[in-house]
């Protein structure tokens, strides 16, 4: 399946205000940027066709992959002045770099790469700045069997705030950590069908418009995940991830400790969710053509194919 990564936002809560700030997905966790960790997660499960929705700081992302250094995270032999890699990270990846606007909402970014998803019944999407150990094959399998229009991974709130129960005369009746409340938040990992495009208007948002409309129609599926999940909305959160990486505490790096998983068998599946009926709706409006892009070029020592738009 193709993977759409939204990596064009400003990430204002992550920026330091100094010139030359890189976009949030390019902030480092260990020797590699956040976006690399997210892509390695998908590649671990066999999903190696990536579409990067670029915007702010696009040149940082392009430069990283066009000048990719395999030796940073792979063993190698230096023989007679030549590098012989013992393993590689991205040699089998295909990466399309698509400029989707500096200030475009996420839904509009998705609309602008629609042509790159022609023929894809289902595809994956991600904010490119959240790390998890979620069982992706199970998420995809459950969604495929449901017939829903979109699936959203949901997680307990990560905030450290406490919810206060007020009694009469302002007395406090109870204190509960927000993470223990019966609440779920958007975890940033999506499985989508082409139907999502029917509900995202020009300049619209993926969640507030597309997913909200599917929810009204009973066509949005949630996958609750209580395992490892870490956002990187702030410098503090990114630093905490970097420190965890240095300690060897990186639960999201499934590729370091798990074999490549095979298909989910029927005996391993949970009961399938009830099929979601497809609504009767008028044909979707025809969207404008996305800008043409050059054919994929094979780069030695880099991803298998790099398409720049």
């Amino acid at each position: 399946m193709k993977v759409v990564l939204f990596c064009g936002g400003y990430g204002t809560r992550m920026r330091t205000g100094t010139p030359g700030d890189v976009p949030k997905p390019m902030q480092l966790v260990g020797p590699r940027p956040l976006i690399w960790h997210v892509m390695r997660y998908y590649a671990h499960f066999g999903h190696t066709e990536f579409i990067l929705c670029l915007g702010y700081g696009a040149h940082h992302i392009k430069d990283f992959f066009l000048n990719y250094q395999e030796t940073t995270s792979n063993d190698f032999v230096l023989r007679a002045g030549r590098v012989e890699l013992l393993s590689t990270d991205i040699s089998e990846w295909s990466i399309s770099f698509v400029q989707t606007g500096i200030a475009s909402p996420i839904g509009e970014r998705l609309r602008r790469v629609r042509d790159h998803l022609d023929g894809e019944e289902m595809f994956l999407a991600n904010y490119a700045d959240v790390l998890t150990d979620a069982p992706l094959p199970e998420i995809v399998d459950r969604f495929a069997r449901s017939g829903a229009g979109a699936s959203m991974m949901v997680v307990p709130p990560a905030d450290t705030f406490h919810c206060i129960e007020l009694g009469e005369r302002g007395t406090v009746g109870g204190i509960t950590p927000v993470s223990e409340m019966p609440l779920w938040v958007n975890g940033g990992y999506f499985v989508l069908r082409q139907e999502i495009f029917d509900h995202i208007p020009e300049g619209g948002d993926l969640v507030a418009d597309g997913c909200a409309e599917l929810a009204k129609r009973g066509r949005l599926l949630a996958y609750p995940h209580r395992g490892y999940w870490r956002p990187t909305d702030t410098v503090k959160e990114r630093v905490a991830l970097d420190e965890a990486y240095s300690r060897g505490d990186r639960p999201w790096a499934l590729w370091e400790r798990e074999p490549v998983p095979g298909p989910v068998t029927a005996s391993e599946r949970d009961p399938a969710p009830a099929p979601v009926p497809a609504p009767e709706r008028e044909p979707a409006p025809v969207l404008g053509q996305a800008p043409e892009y050059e054919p994929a070029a094979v780069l030695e020592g880099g991803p298998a194919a790099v398409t720049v738009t």
Side-chain angles (χ1 to χ4, degrees):
M1 294 171 64
K2 292 186 177 180
V3 184
V4 178
L5 297 179
F6 306 111
C7 43
Y10 287 101
T12 53
R13 284 180 291 178
M14 179 72 80
R15 296 170 67 188
T16 62
T18 58
D21 275 356
V22 299
K24 183 164 61 170
M26 288 301 297
Q27 298 286 338
L28 293 179
V29 173
R32 298 293 197 192
L34 276 164
I35 190 172
W36 179 89
H37 292 270
V38 173
M39 294 169 79
R40 282 291 271 129
Y41 167 84
Y42 282 110
H44 174 68
F45 295 108
H47 306 292
T48 57
E49 293 185 69
F50 299 98
I51 302 169
L52 307 188
C53 299
L54 304 177
Y56 169 77
H59 66 282
H60 290 287
I61 298 173
K62 292 178 181 178
D63 288 347
F64 172 74
F65 287 105
L66 290 173
N67 301 288
Y68 190 77
Q69 298 295 319
E70 288 276 12
T71 55
T72 299
S73 51
N74 291 286
D75 294 338
F76 62 94
V77 175
L78 184 63
R79 194 190 313 276
R82 295 176 60 88
V83 173
E84 299 176 11
L85 289 168
L86 302 180
S87 61
T88 64
D89 293 328
I90 70 172
S91 61
E92 297 182 358
W93 295 5
S94 171
I95 309 175
S96 296
F97 299 78
V98 186
Q99 178 56 252
T100 56
I102 297 298
S104 301
I106 287 178
E108 179 61 25
R109 295 190 189 281
L110 181 60
R111 280 167 44 95
R112 294 187 184 187
V113 299
R114 185 174 187 177
D115 284 359
H116 294 261
L117 296 165
D118 281 350
E120 299 291 315
E121 178 188 358
M122 300 186 300
F123 57 95
L124 304 163
N126 191 287
Y127 295 141
D129 61 2
V130 178
L131 304 179
T132 187
D133 65 353
L136 186 61
E138 181 180 325
I139 295 173
V140 171
D141 181 69
R142 185 170 181 264
F143 173 67
R145 290 181 291 124
S146 74
S151 174
M152 170 194 295
M153 189 176 85
V154 296
V155 298
D159 295 320
T160 57
F161 299 114
H162 291 79
C163 295
I164 308 301
E165 179 183 344
L166 290 179
E168 295 181 2
R169 300 180 181 178
T171 58
V172 174
I175 300 176
T176 306
V178 68
S179 60
E180 296 179 9
M181 296 290 289
L183 301 172
W184 297 90
V185 299
N186 173 15
Y189 283 70
F190 301 89
V191 191
L192 306 171
R193 296 186 195 272
Q194 293 288 331
E195 182 182 342
I196 191 68
F197 291 107
D198 297 347
H199 308 299
I200 301 176
E202 182 176 355
D205 184 69
L206 170 60
V207 174
D209 294 309
C211 291
E213 183 59 33
L214 286 173
K216 292 177 184 177
R217 298 167 180 245
R219 302 275 302 150
L220 179 64
L221 185 69
Y223 183 90
H225 179 60
R226 290 189 176 276
Y228 183 87
W229 179 85
R230 291 294 184 276
T232 53
D233 290 328
T234 65
V235 172
K236 179 180 178 180
E237 290 171 339
R238 202 278 305 168
V239 169
L241 276 176
D242 192 46
E243 292 175 347
Y245 183 97
S246 299
R247 296 193 304 270
D249 179 18
R250 33 188 185 267
W252 70 87
L254 302 178
W255 57 91
E256 294 183 349
R257 63 183 188 275
E258 293 184 0
V260 176
V264 178
T265 63
S267 62
E268 297 172 325
R269 295 172 178 166
D270 293 330
V276 182
E280 294 184 4
R281 60 184 186 276
E282 298 180 357
V286 178
L287 300 177
Q289 286 290 101
E292 295 183 357
Y293 57 98
E294 295 296 328
V298 177
L299 299 182
E300 184 176 355
V306 178
T307 304
V308 181
T309 299

